Amino acid sequence: MVKSYESTRNPEIRASASEAVLKGIADDGGLYVMRDLEDKKVSINELLGKGYKEIAEIILGKMLDDFPEEKVKECVRNAYTNKFSREEITPLIQVGDNFILELFHGPTSAFKDVALSILPHLMTASYEMNNMKGEVIILTATSGDTGKAALEGFKDVEGTKIVVFYPEGGVSQVQKAQMATQEGKNTFVCSIIGNFDDAQTGVKKIFTNEEFNKELLKNNKVLSSANSINVGRLVPQIVYYFYAYIQLVDKKVISSGDKVNFAVPTGNFGNILAGYYAKALGLPVNKLICASNENNVLYDFIKTGVYNRNREFYKTISPSMDILVSSNLERLLYYLSGKNNALVKELMEELNSKGKYEITQDMWQLLNKDFYGGCVFKEDVLKTIKETFEKYGYLLDTHTAVAYKTMEDYKKETKDKTATIVLSTASPYKFTRSVYQALYGEAEEDEFTLMEKLFKNTKVEIPENLKNLQTKEIRHSHVCKVDEMKKFVISASEK
Ligand SMILES: *Cc1c(COP(=O)(O)O)cnc(C)c1O
């Protein structure tokens, strides 16, 4: 079997693509990276005229190089047939002189659907390929978006169960309703008395409980995770960078071979890293514009070469970007350092012990060749939403607005005329309260009422999956204490 992947921290720890998907994280705590990425070129001309699924088959075939061609096709078909509300899966919309790539037409109206729709199929395929039998139990702690997208992705997928914990009182009304009404015979949801950190710590404890894991294994069951460091989440995200480019060529905005920029609202650095992979695979990319909110660790990092998490944590109106340690950045460090695993290990140890590290001058120069960093705070986010709606009739969500404004700042600062695509990561209706506030000022009503009002005023359609959420049947109402989480997993595993 080809072992194309290795740990960012140790070249001796190797894995095939399917093993990397199953393991999630390497045994030494490093992330799996493809060593010879630059040898896997994709020809743009070969993609012209092709649709999302065909492009996905080509990209996934290159990156998941131990998957048989037929398996890749089957995974793509299962993930994207009739699951997205748009034929194109990720349509490209022109707004003024710019383009917005809408990644939110999946079953939960969040960009995480793109990867989480296919991850379960990649996992079960990997399971088979490695001659394993039994059941995979996915365990997730969520602050809102990931949990629902994972539930929808794994819903009724043969050979899997999905268990989600969220903090009681720590998610929005819409997010809570989304999870409480989840369908599927293999889905299990429990809110915990505590905050997100408590939920996450509880899940980690279960993962590292050897005795418990042994017990599960006796019954042919293993625990796994669906978080964004899994190769099976990263690789599917490369696809839409290529597809956005092909759509621009189709629209005759650019010719095949011209360069483009991408602006990405960034949290854990997974989405934008997929853009870096696309460039490595041969996509003509000029700049990757990395957009942050008040938690602007990445902005400072790109500017100075110093990554420093020792700072205040802000709760913002773009909560999915409220992150101080962007896990996937470790993969970029690996490539920027010329695949220097020892150096990556050192930097990660420094991050652990001191909360900060500094990259070399050479790495910093390479970083700035490919990336531009910007940050946008609340007041400007609200202003951007209002102005973009008034000027173009286009309604941005709070995360996408951060990227949109960063793109404008970049253009003003650099005078760069390259065609630019802003990645839109959520429907405005997922963050109704703040979007409504941007247009009409603060409101008292509950989120469902505001959704209706926002629709009446803007005429922007509410996604089907968010409509009538409050009248759907409640299927999950478990609440437990942190020390009861294991019991909940056991009962789920026995069903
Ligand atoms: C997860 C998420 C992001 C951040 O993406 P990363 O891959 O973690 O950088 C941005 N916007 C929304 C709406 C998200 O759900």
Side-chain angles (χ1 to χ4, degrees):
M1 203 188 286
V2 275
K3 301 222 180 229
S4 311
Y5 286 78
E6 68 183 37
S7 164
T8 42
R9 302 182 194 180
N10 182 350
E12 308 290 317
I13 300 181
R14 303 191 68 90
S16 66
S18 63
E19 286 169 341
V21 168
L22 284 177
K23 292 194 75 129
I25 191 161
D27 284 336
D28 64 343
L31 309 192
Y32 284 114
V33 276
M34 181 178 259
R35 172 163 269 274
D36 299 317
L37 183 61
E38 63 281 354
D39 295 345
K40 306 255 173 189
K41 289 291 179 223
V42 174
S43 144
I44 298 296
N45 288 332
E46 196 190 316
L47 305 185
L48 293 175
K50 289 201 161 64
Y52 191 96
K53 285 190 247 179
E54 293 166 287
I55 294 176
E57 286 168 11
I58 294 171
I59 307 291
L60 265 53
K62 295 253 185 218
M63 295 298 297
L64 305 174
D65 52 359
D66 68 327
F67 281 57
E69 202 178 316
E70 264 318 304
K71 265 282 162 236
V72 169
K73 282 194 175 160
E74 192 185 309
C75 289
V76 169
R77 201 168 50 233
N78 285 334
Y80 300 118
T81 308
N82 303 328
K83 294 271 173 70
F84 284 65
S85 62
R86 294 299 193 86
E87 180 69 38
E88 309 98 304
I89 310 290
T90 59
L92 189 72
I93 313 291
Q94 181 154 12
V95 175
D97 292 336
N98 300 296
F99 295 87
I100 296 191
L101 182 67
E102 295 184 339
L103 303 176
F104 58 77
H105 294 290
T108 79
S109 301
F111 110 92
K112 290 180 176 68
D113 288 329
V114 180
L116 282 166
S117 295
I118 194 164
L119 179 69
H121 303 289
L122 298 177
M123 269 188 181
T124 50
S126 300
Y127 219 60
E128 266 177 49
M129 286 161 59
N130 289 277
N131 300 317
M132 290 163 76
K133 281 194 191 75
E135 189 174 64
V136 196
I137 302 170
I138 304 295
L139 212 51
T140 308
T142 185
S143 53
D145 270 8
T146 306
K148 177 62 185 180
L151 284 163
E152 272 300 319
F154 282 90
K155 173 180 84 181
D156 293 332
V157 172
E158 222 37 67
T160 73
K161 280 200 176 110
I162 166 96
V163 183
V164 170
F165 294 100
Y166 71 88
E168 177 73 14
V171 301
S172 79
Q173 204 181 359
V174 169
Q175 286 171 327
K176 187 177 172 134
Q178 277 189 306
M179 290 190 275
T181 57
Q182 178 64 46
E183 297 175 358
K185 57 186 188 304
N186 64 340
T187 60
F188 303 88
V189 180
C190 183
S191 72
I192 62 127
I193 301 164
N195 60 26
F196 172 64
D197 276 335
D198 298 327
Q200 182 135 17
T201 308
V203 162
K204 272 191 191 148
K205 259 199 195 141
I206 298 172
F207 269 122
T208 50
N209 184 334
E210 264 181 54
E211 206 181 317
F212 180 50
N213 280 279
K214 262 192 210 147
E215 198 58 39
L216 285 174
L217 205 57
K218 267 197 229 155
N219 299 310
N220 279 329
K221 291 173 199 223
V222 288
L223 296 178
S224 189
S225 135
N227 72 24
S228 86
I229 53 172
N230 194 309
V231 164
R233 274 189 66 180
L234 175 64
V235 170
Q237 295 179 356
I238 302 170
V239 176
Y240 48 73
Y241 282 90
F242 279 93
Y243 185 49
Y245 188 90
I246 297 302
Q247 289 181 79
L248 268 193
V249 176
D250 279 346
K251 290 179 200 288
K252 304 209 167 21
V253 175
I254 58 168
S255 308
S256 179
D258 291 351
K259 287 192 171 178
V260 296
N261 301 319
F262 290 95
V264 188
T266 299
N268 216 10
F269 209 76
N271 198 0
I272 197 165
L273 184 76
Y276 181 81
Y277 270 64
K279 186 173 185 175
L281 290 172
L283 188 69
V285 177
N286 178 38
K287 285 277 182 205
L288 293 164
I289 299 167
C290 175
S292 303
N293 59 21
E294 283 86 341
N295 297 297
N296 55 0
V297 192
L298 288 166
Y299 166 75
D300 289 340
F301 174 63
I302 294 170
K303 203 152 209 141
T304 64
V306 176
Y307 194 96
N308 189 349
R309 64 154 297 172
N310 304 311
R311 60 178 73 208
E312 199 179 327
F313 175 81
Y314 296 98
K315 281 192 100 155
T316 75
I317 55 169
S318 41
S320 300
M321 298 160 70
D322 291 347
I323 285 174
L324 292 182
V325 177
S326 302
S327 314
N328 271 298
L329 189 63
E330 181 171 344
R331 289 191 161 105
L332 181 66
L333 298 178
Y334 167 86
Y335 292 109
L336 291 178
S337 68
K339 305 169 189 174
N340 186 340
N341 312 67
L343 179 62
V344 175
K345 183 166 193 264
E346 210 175 285
L347 296 176
M348 289 303 108
E349 277 166 1
E350 271 179 54
L351 182 64
N352 233 335
S353 58
K354 300 194 198 109
K356 63 185 248 185
Y357 62 80
E358 180 167 10
I359 56 174
T360 66
Q361 191 64 27
D362 287 351
M363 286 169 77
W364 183 73
Q365 272 168 4
L366 283 176
L367 174 67
N368 278 272
K369 209 171 112 252
D370 286 328
F371 291 87
Y372 169 92
C375 56
V376 183
F377 296 0
K378 181 172 178 179
E379 198 181 318
D380 280 329
V381 173
L382 296 176
K383 209 167 118 193
T384 302
I385 293 172
K386 187 173 166 70
E387 285 178 2
T388 313
F389 184 70
E390 283 173 353
K391 239 176 162 167
Y392 307 111
Y394 191 88
L395 197 55
L396 299 163
D397 100 287
T398 49
H399 303 73
T400 310
V402 171
Y404 193 91
K405 176 68 165 63
T406 305
M407 174 272 295
E408 289 185 324
D409 293 345
Y410 166 80
K411 284 193 158 178
K412 214 179 264 169
E413 186 184 315
T414 62
K415 311 272 186 297
D416 181 9
K417 295 271 185 283
T418 308
T420 300
I421 297 163
V422 178
L423 272 56
S424 174
T425 49
S427 155
Y429 287 102
K430 276 218 91 164
F431 300 93
T432 301
R433 186 170 293 286
S434 302
V435 173
Y436 187 92
Q437 183 192 348
L439 298 186
Y440 311 109
E442 270 184 79
E444 300 284 309
E445 295 98 317
D446 68 79
E447 272 200 291
F448 297 114
T449 310
L450 289 180
M451 237 186 234
E452 288 299 326
K453 281 179 86 171
L454 192 58
F455 168 66
K456 284 212 177 79
N457 289 336
T458 63
K459 296 283 175 287
V460 175
E461 283 291 337
I462 304 173
E464 216 43 58
N465 70 79
L466 297 178
K467 271 188 200 163
N468 311 320
L469 257 183
Q470 70 272 46
T471 58
K472 274 195 179 160
E473 183 196 349
I474 304 277
R475 295 165 163 265
H476 306 273
S477 51
H478 279 279
V479 187
C480 76
K481 299 199 193 98
V482 173
D483 59 10
E484 293 166 342
M485 287 168 67
K486 196 174 100 190
K487 217 163 74 191
F488 185 78
V489 177
I490 293 171
S491 76
S493 78
E494 285 166 353
K495 282 197 177 122

